[in-house]
Amino acid sequence: MPVPWFLLSLALGRNPAVISLERIVGPQDAARCSPGLSCHLWDGDMLCLLGSIEAAPGPVLVPTHLQAELVLRCHQETSCDLCVRVTVQLAVHGHWEEPEDEEKSGEAAEPELKELRNASLQAQVVLSFQAYSTARCVLLEVQVPAARVQSGQAVGSLVFDCFEAALGAEVRIWSYTQPRYQKELNLMQQLPVLPWLNVSTDGDSVHLVLNVSEEQHFGLLLYWNQVQGSLKPWWHRNLTGPQTITLNQTDLVPCLCIQMWPLEPDPVRTSICPFKEDPQAHRNVWRAARVQLLSTKSWRLDMPCSLPAEVMLCWQSPGGDPCQPLMPPLSPENVTVNKASEFPVVEGHPNLCVQVRKVRSWEKVQLQECLWSDSLGPLKDDVLLVETQGSQHNRSLCALEPTGCTPLPSRATTRAAHLGEQLLEDLQSGQCLKLWNGDLGALWACPVDKYVHRRWALVWLACLLLAAVLLFLLLLRKDRGKAAAGVRAALLLYSADNTAFESLVGSLATALSRLPLRVAVDLWSRRELSAQGPLAWLHAQRRQTLQERGVVVLLFSPGAVALCREWLQDGPPAPRAHGPHDAFAASLSCVLPDFLQGRASGRYVGACFDGLLALDAVPSLFRAAPLFSLPSQLRGFLSALQGPCAARFGRLEDSAEQVARALQPVLDSCFRPPPRGLGPELEAGLE
């Protein structure tokens, strides 16, 4: 079909009046040759049969050089086809053979030979053209006067107009004679694509400048090109004339592509992916990558683009040392982006982390997530024992440390070597947790808190005595409020409505513990909760928190609101779907008196989560304390938690952004409905 002038003007220049390509009027093919030659184009295409090389019977015409150039074949003023003009240079090859026996041939052969030498030389030249979904062969007949027939001499050129092709196509052209006297000539050429896009940067902004002729109507689509071939739309507009689209630097990813087409029936769409090799785009896609724990043993790597990556488990010690890869015995594996995968572990552990790296690029970790820390609490001071199975069922044990894997028992000077006998005894007595078991060995996590406490008991006793003296002196000079200044304690109370809400609370607790806050939540104290009972544990934690001038955070959910209304006799009884570790129901017996007697101010802070519960759904009694919706009101929430005398969090904006990054993926996966289209704020940012 004819390519609209719109596309050709994009490819070849913005002003159609100054396009340098020659324009041919009419739909018919044509042939012409240089002066002194005569040529004729046979009607219709012919079969593309190459044939074998034959010996020349005398002087013959052969192609010596092949050249192609672009022209425009126009059917109307504004409807043209891109066309490939082919020029073939011709020369004489071979010469007349003299008779072997002049006496035998006599004078009879002389007139015939003389007649052949004085005759013009004719040849049939074949041009073969191939492009995507297109193949043609044409035949041209050429005649050279006898006076110009000299062996090895160039006689002129033959021009054919023309073979139609599409923008951006790769074309192949062959030329030979029929019959064929030498190897065919061939030519490959890449036709131009649409050079309509110019990318420029200005600080944190990226400008996509679309060089489109004025008053031209076109459609523009920004989309993510997935590896599986699916097209994920992001932004679509119908535009007119030259346009500049502004994006943020963080929007650039390698699979971001641009598609453009004229607004007409059955349009030709042209796509380009300009950021495939852009370093900033590759950095952005790794910044946006997230590892999500789907269950205790399954996980998923979420990324905007499907880049090749490898994943492996590592052991993160609480001292801040680099995460130690668990290889051997666990080897790295290729990971499929945005697809659930299984962990080769038996039990989860807070110190187990996931490292993601580029394929064949192990010098740099792109992403590291300790997935179990939200549900199992912060990092523990445990030692990881690596058990390997040798030949004849022999096994060896070593302790994974920052300096390597220390064999047990050992005379080394490391901590694990000093505790080697105790660790082996704990392993034999079943006090270590098995994380993985396979044919090559096993992994064990052994707690060492008790040994560290025992080893440094005298030192701790001296430190405690000194601290007591210093504290006594400080109490004599400062009031109790100033003496208690420092890291503030925060007790989180919530109703365990479901596992998704528990995961959300765990993410909030983990994020708050990274600030100058000492966080207490029943998720991290299940053993003490089971031993003491919810009511006793809650009373002890609340009393300690308030004595230290801390704050009690009430996290309201639909289940929590129902329990509150039941206690206030303002609603039907709440469903008893809470587990044995749910401390919220027990907490109301000591929380409600504080609110009823006006003692809530400065002691309590209320919060709920965006999309789960509205602020006006919280009973009015509890609005005596500051009440916030998270994460939209994180700044005010953190300001209330900080208190007047506690250690500062730093810039509240940075702290709020840090906590929001931890909460948002859990909110997106658990509480928000699936996206139905582009958000209004994203569209507004692109306009």
Side-chain angles (χ1 to χ4, degrees):
M1 62 175 284
V3 179
W5 182 254
F6 163 77
L7 291 180
L8 292 178
S9 66
L10 288 177
L12 308 171
R14 290 189 57 182
N15 188 351
V18 296
I19 289 179
S20 59
L21 295 187
E22 181 181 342
R23 301 177 69 182
I24 303 172
V25 180
Q28 300 298 324
D29 294 337
R32 65 180 186 276
C33 45
S34 56
L37 305 183
S38 61
C39 52
H40 169 70
L41 174 64
W42 283 36
D43 294 335
D45 291 354
M46 60 172 293
L47 293 177
C48 299
L49 301 176
L50 189 60
S52 57
I53 298 177
E54 300 180 6
V60 293
L61 281 178
V62 293
T64 58
H65 182 69
L66 197 58
Q67 183 179 353
E69 64 174 320
L70 294 179
V71 295
L72 297 177
R73 171 180 283 170
C74 298
H75 307 275
Q76 300 175 7
E77 183 66 23
T78 60
S79 181
C80 298
D81 287 322
L82 191 64
C83 216
V84 180
R85 170 183 287 169
V86 181
T87 302
V88 183
Q89 300 290 337
L90 301 172
V92 178
H93 174 72
H95 55 273
W96 294 110
E97 297 288 342
E98 296 294 336
E100 296 180 0
D101 191 348
E102 294 184 0
E103 294 182 358
K104 289 184 179 181
S105 60
E107 298 180 356
E110 185 175 345
E112 182 179 351
L113 181 59
K114 186 175 182 180
E115 182 180 354
L116 289 174
R117 290 179 175 178
N118 292 333
S120 59
L121 193 60
Q122 294 184 352
Q124 291 183 339
V125 180
V126 178
L127 292 178
S128 176
F129 177 87
Q130 287 188 7
Y132 179 73
S133 72
T134 302
R136 290 187 62 194
C137 280
V138 297
L139 182 64
L140 302 97
E141 193 171 273
V142 188
Q143 187 170 346
V144 181
R148 303 181 63 175
V149 178
Q150 296 184 15
S151 180
Q153 178 180 343
V155 297
S157 61
L158 176 67
V159 180
F160 171 75
D161 288 330
C162 56
F163 295 113
E164 295 182 4
L167 288 167
E170 181 182 85
V171 300
R172 296 176 180 269
I173 306 170
W174 291 269
S175 177
Y176 52 91
T177 58
Q178 194 177 41
R180 188 160 63 100
Y181 301 116
Q182 66 176 22
K183 183 175 176 58
E184 72 281 359
L185 299 180
N186 64 82
L187 173 68
M188 183 181 70
Q189 184 167 340
Q190 182 73 45
L191 301 188
V193 295
L194 294 177
W196 41 264
L197 176 66
N198 181 35
V199 181
S200 63
T201 58
D202 181 14
D204 293 334
S205 300
V206 178
H207 303 295
L208 306 180
V209 182
L210 305 175
N211 297 318
V212 180
S213 301
E214 295 182 2
E215 299 183 359
Q216 292 288 351
H217 303 281
F218 62 95
L220 184 69
L221 173 68
L222 301 182
Y223 66 94
W224 292 294
N225 188 29
Q226 305 295 334
V227 167
Q228 296 83 1
S230 60
L231 184 148
K232 185 179 180 182
W234 179 40
W235 187 83
H236 169 255
R237 285 289 185 276
N238 291 333
L239 304 172
T240 301
Q243 294 285 339
T244 299
I245 309 299
T246 301
L247 307 175
N248 292 327
Q249 283 276 8
T250 54
D251 294 330
L252 303 187
V253 290
C255 60
L256 178 61
C257 300
I258 305 167
Q259 188 176 91
M260 191 175 181
W261 64 94
L263 295 180
E264 61 179 29
D266 192 22
V268 176
R269 294 184 177 230
T270 303
S271 297
I272 184 173
C273 302
F275 309 109
K276 281 185 177 180
E277 306 300 329
D278 185 73
Q280 180 65 40
H282 280 265
R283 287 192 292 270
N284 288 341
V285 79
W286 284 109
R287 288 194 188 104
R290 292 290 181 270
V291 179
Q292 182 179 0
L293 187 66
L294 303 179
S295 65
T296 56
K297 295 185 180 181
S298 65
W299 59 281
R300 183 177 67 231
L301 174 62
D302 295 327
M303 296 175 68
C305 301
S306 298
L307 298 181
E310 288 181 324
V311 65
M312 66 177 303
L313 291 174
C314 63
W315 180 263
Q316 180 64 65
S317 301
D321 295 311
C323 201
Q324 298 291 107
L326 300 183
M327 50 175 292
L330 300 180
S331 59
E333 297 181 357
N334 291 336
V335 60
T336 302
V337 175
N338 302 325
K339 183 180 179 181
S341 302
E342 294 290 331
F343 279 118
V345 293
V346 176
E347 295 291 341
H349 193 279
N351 296 28
L352 276 178
C353 302
V354 176
Q355 286 185 345
V356 184
R357 306 173 188 247
K358 295 180 182 178
V359 173
R360 298 181 298 276
S361 179
W362 282 93
E363 69 278 1
K364 183 179 179 182
V365 177
Q366 298 293 340
L367 179 65
Q368 178 174 315
E369 295 282 354
C370 299
L371 300 179
W372 290 273
S373 61
D374 287 342
S375 58
L376 300 180
L379 299 178
K380 295 183 178 180
D381 191 16
D382 292 358
V383 172
L384 185 72
L385 299 185
V386 180
E387 176 186 347
T388 55
Q389 297 286 351
S391 58
Q392 300 178 354
H393 302 287
N394 295 329
R395 75 168 187 171
S396 60
L397 286 167
C398 65
L400 193 64
E401 296 186 284
T403 57
C405 206
T406 304
L408 295 182
S410 173
R411 295 183 178 180
T413 58
T414 63
R415 184 181 71 161
H418 289 309
L419 301 175
E421 293 184 2
Q422 292 94 326
L423 292 174
L424 293 176
E425 291 176 0
D426 288 347
L427 181 63
Q428 294 294 333
S429 61
Q431 299 183 42
C432 298
L433 176 65
K434 180 184 288 187
L435 303 180
W436 174 79
N437 188 22
D439 297 336
L440 300 178
L443 297 175
W444 305 84
C446 300
V448 295
D449 293 344
K450 54 184 177 181
Y451 302 118
V452 174
H453 294 161
R454 184 185 306 168
R455 182 181 182 88
W456 297 98
L458 295 177
V459 177
W460 279 112
L461 181 59
C463 292
L464 289 174
L465 290 175
L466 179 61
V469 173
L470 292 176
L471 181 61
F472 178 74
L473 295 176
L474 287 173
L475 289 175
L476 293 178
R477 299 181 59 185
K478 297 182 180 180
D479 58 5
R480 182 178 179 182
K482 292 183 179 180
V487 177
R488 199 179 194 195
L491 173 62
L492 272 59
L493 298 179
Y494 68 100
S495 173
D497 291 2
N498 48 56
T499 56
F501 189 77
E502 282 190 319
S503 177
L504 185 58
V505 173
S507 299
L508 177 62
T510 301
L512 293 178
S513 67
R514 294 168 183 163
L515 304 175
L517 282 174
R518 187 172 67 256
V519 180
V521 63
D522 62 356
L523 275 174
W524 300 347
S525 306
R526 291 290 172 82
R527 184 177 300 174
E528 295 86 349
L529 200 66
S530 299
Q532 302 175 19
L535 186 60
W537 181 88
L538 182 276
H539 277 282
Q541 292 293 328
R542 173 184 167 278
R543 181 174 60 254
Q544 180 182 353
T545 300
L546 296 181
Q547 285 177 352
E548 296 175 358
R549 301 295 179 89
V551 62
V552 178
V553 180
L554 301 178
L555 297 176
F556 290 98
S557 64
V561 170
L563 284 172
C564 292
R565 294 191 184 281
E566 180 182 355
W567 273 80
L568 296 172
Q569 298 181 356
D570 191 24
R576 299 297 180 182
H578 307 284
H581 304 305
D582 187 4
F584 188 81
S587 69
L588 293 178
S589 62
C590 55
V591 169
L592 280 176
D594 288 341
F595 281 86
L596 292 171
Q597 298 172 16
R599 299 196 305 265
S601 179
R603 295 182 168 192
Y604 294 85
V605 173
C608 58
F609 294 98
D610 296 343
L612 180 62
L613 186 72
L615 290 176
D616 55 6
V618 177
S620 58
L621 175 65
F622 295 94
R623 299 178 197 173
L627 186 61
F628 304 93
S629 183
L630 307 181
S632 60
Q633 297 178 351
L634 262 175
R635 184 175 176 180
F637 176 70
L638 295 182
S639 179
L641 292 187
Q642 185 172 252
C645 302
R648 297 296 168 182
F649 293 171
R651 294 181 69 249
L652 279 178
E653 293 81 358
D654 296 341
S655 300
E657 183 180 359
Q658 177 183 346
V659 177
R661 279 199 303 266
L663 288 180
Q664 200 61 51
V666 187
L667 282 172
D668 290 342
S669 61
C670 298
F671 298 104
R672 289 187 177 175
R676 300 180 179 272
L678 186 64
E681 53 277 352
L682 180 55
E683 294 190 3
L686 288 170
E687 291 180 346

